[in-house]
Amino acid sequence: MQLPGNIFSQHSVLHQLGADVDADGDEDAVYLSPWAVGLAALLLLINGLFSLYLSLGLHKTLGTAAIRCTIQLTILGYILVPIFSYDRWWLVLLYAGFMITIAAAEAVSRPSAVYQGMLLHTLGVVGGAATGVICYAMLLIIRVQPWWHAQYFIPTLGMILGNCISGVSVGLSSVMEELTTGKGRIELLLALGATRMEATRETMQRCLVLALTPVLNQMSVMGVVSIPGMMTGQILGGTVPSQAARYQIMIMFLIAATTCIAVVGSVYLAVLNILDRQHRLCSEKILPRAAAGSGVEHWIHGQTVRGFKFVSKGLRRVVGRIRVSYGQRERLSTAFRGTGLARRFKQNRSNRHQGDDYDELGSVTSQLHDVIIGASDDESQSLVQEASGALSDNDADGQSFTDASERFRPGSSTGSVSDFDAKSPSQL
């Protein structure tokens, strides 16, 4: 079979260079049974024994990681089967969005300190970098038709994201630590007149170098010390090693570009968020991570609990408003039911004023008692008769009972006995 000169072909290079495999694909690709996978898992006992013997405390973590790896990859294998079979653009892009979201959540779950909005910033940066690079690869490098072919789009995106989140997590961890432990130096530079970019230039340089070094080291030793995973998988699948090497070179370049864009963007956004536009270091924005744990599973659990609380709060608010509106409607319907509303209102008001009048009458009587204590019998009889006439007389001009009592204080010249209807003291 004639080998193609390059990988710029509209058809699948793997299909052109594939070995003679039958319909079941069992001639060259060796079938791996679950028992074979179990035999490979026995090798992890070596790690567990060393952890127990040296008191490293890693045996539980090792067991959890092994179980997670087995379950996640098994589920992935069954999920990709219908996606590869149907090969619909919306299904491929939906799964790609899910991959990007999980990658961003995993990247922000590792730093020991966070800030408000870190997840959204990381999601935007990682999503933008991965989307741009994968579209460039599908349209200009691989040139597969259609460009969103699931067999090429999803594995390539997975390898890009898997290496990208490591660099982003290292960059975020280092920059948050630098802004926490080295805030004295940064504040000193800001006090001397430096801008926020000038004060944090060395900090960002150290963080970016630390985050991008693993990718550079991986590219340096690849092919000499180790055979990368993609190339190994293609060779085991029957692809010619030279063609598998070209694919691996392409993937490494895509990984390096995506990691660089995502790391630089995430570090810069962290600095711009912690230092405001007035060139002040806002240390209160740096929040310690909760002690519940880290990892995408803890993030998913936290988001699920938060969403459940939000939905419950919204439902309670809606039910409360419905109850309030229903109660107001019932009260209004009861109030305006029938035609005796005005009569009942006036009657209640009259009863209330009548009670106030009785209170005022008692007050005037007590005042009269104090006034006539020092008077003679004839004067007392005269004062009582005048007071009783004044209290029973409801003047047209609305004079109060308190004013009437003022007429009969000693020394008052207002009023006389002949001006009032004489009534006996027993009527008081």
Side-chain angles (χ1 to χ4, degrees), residues 63-98:
T64 304
I67 294 174
R68 283 189 55 186
C69 176
T70 304
I71 295 176
Q72 291 170 180
L73 289 178
T74 302
I75 295 175
L76 176 62
Y78 285 103
I79 289 177
L80 293 181
V81 169
I83 296 178
F84 285 0
S85 300
Y86 292 106
D87 199 16
R88 297 292 187 269
W89 67 269
W90 60 270
L91 193 59
V92 174
L93 297 183
L94 181 64
Y95 186 75
F98 172 76

Side-chain angles (χ1 to χ4, degrees), residues 290-341:
S294 61
V296 66
E297 69 277 4
H298 295 281
W299 176 80
I300 294 176
H301 174 72
Q303 296 300 318
T304 303
V305 173
R306 185 179 301 177
F308 177 77
K309 291 181 179 179
F310 178 79
V311 173
S312 300
K313 184 178 179 181
L315 290 177
R316 288 196 299 267
R317 186 179 302 174
V318 171
V319 171
R321 290 182 178 178
I322 292 175
R323 288 180 177 177
V324 170
S325 61
Y326 181 77
Q328 291 178 350
R329 185 175 62 182
E330 288 294 326
R331 286 195 297 269
L332 289 175
S333 62
T334 303
F336 289 97
R337 187 180 299 132
T339 58
L341 177 62

